[in-house]
Amino acid sequence: MNAPIIITADMGKTDQAWANGLRRAHFPAERNFVDAHITLFHHLPPSHLPEIKSRLAALVQDYPAPVAHLRDVMLLGKAVAFRVDSPELLGLREELADSFRGLLIPQDQAQPRLHITVQNKVEQATAKALHAHLLNSFRPRPLAISGLSAHYYRGGPWEHIGRWSFRG
């Protein structure tokens, strides 16, 4: 396999269904290839798949699910997303980043802004309208994080590699 590997944090079933519903309603259908997700790493080398799988399995075995909250609605130019606040998830990501040192592209070396994208690559006016609509009814709330997943990125739909659930 020569496709890069993406690592995501998985949401609990109820939160996943909610986010997928928003994504189906607002993401351009011709570009909506994947479910709603929280990206932790955008591009890990596929040649390191055994190590990646091993590290993910060990990490979730050592820790319970991290506490996370949806904090606000973000307008990102031509995109709209929900900000995910989780110092615990960022700490776990940092642990993985340390173990993947030397493998990370510049984008993955930077501190991420955790988020769930529900609309992307639309006209700015369309994004602003959805942002205002979602902001009007948004209330910060807990977000369930259930595990970590790895996927091959192939330009369109992702190919699922595996999922690892947090202990407990």
Side-chain angles (χ1 to χ4, degrees):
M1 295 286 182
N2 60 359
I5 296 172
I6 297 171
I7 306 298
T8 61
D10 297 331
M11 293 173 261
K13 289 181 183 180
T14 300
D15 289 325
Q16 185 69 57
W18 166 81
N20 281 345
L22 285 172
R23 194 171 168 99
R24 277 191 304 276
H26 302 291
F27 208 97
E30 68 277 7
R31 292 188 193 104
N32 194 13
F33 301 120
V34 299
D35 285 341
H37 55 277
I38 304 165
T39 303
L40 300 179
F41 295 95
H42 296 86
H43 190 287
L44 292 173
S47 59
H48 288 267
L49 181 60
E51 176 188 359
I52 292 166
K53 288 170 128 181
S54 175
R55 298 234 184 242
L56 294 176
L59 188 72
V60 298
Q61 186 175 13
D62 289 343
Y63 294 98
V67 173
H69 291 86
L70 291 177
R71 287 293 180 214
D72 60 18
V73 184
M74 303 165 56
L75 178 61
L76 305 168
K78 297 181 176 187
V80 177
F82 289 93
R83 183 183 318 275
V84 176
D85 179 29
S86 179
E88 291 177 10
L89 183 56
L90 284 173
L92 296 174
R93 187 211 175 270
E94 185 62 32
E95 188 172 325
L96 286 170
D98 285 346
S99 66
F100 296 148
R101 185 168 289 129
L103 304 178
L104 301 179
I105 63 170
Q107 182 180 18
D108 287 334
Q109 291 174 19
Q111 179 78 357
R113 292 188 311 171
L114 300 177
H115 63 278
I116 302 165
T117 303
V118 295
Q119 184 181 65
N120 196 7
K121 298 181 182 173
V122 298
E123 295 297 321
Q124 280 188 329
T126 302
K128 284 182 181 180
L130 178 60
H131 178 258
H133 172 73
L134 293 175
L135 200 55
N136 187 46
S137 61
F138 178 76
R139 302 292 175 265
R141 66 174 182 83
L143 176 72
I145 303 295
S146 59
L148 302 175
S149 285
H151 316 266
Y152 287 115
Y153 175 72
R154 301 194 183 285
W158 296 353
E159 181 182 331
H160 186 70
I161 296 170
R163 181 181 192 288
W164 297 267
S165 296
F166 286 103
R167 69 176 169 93

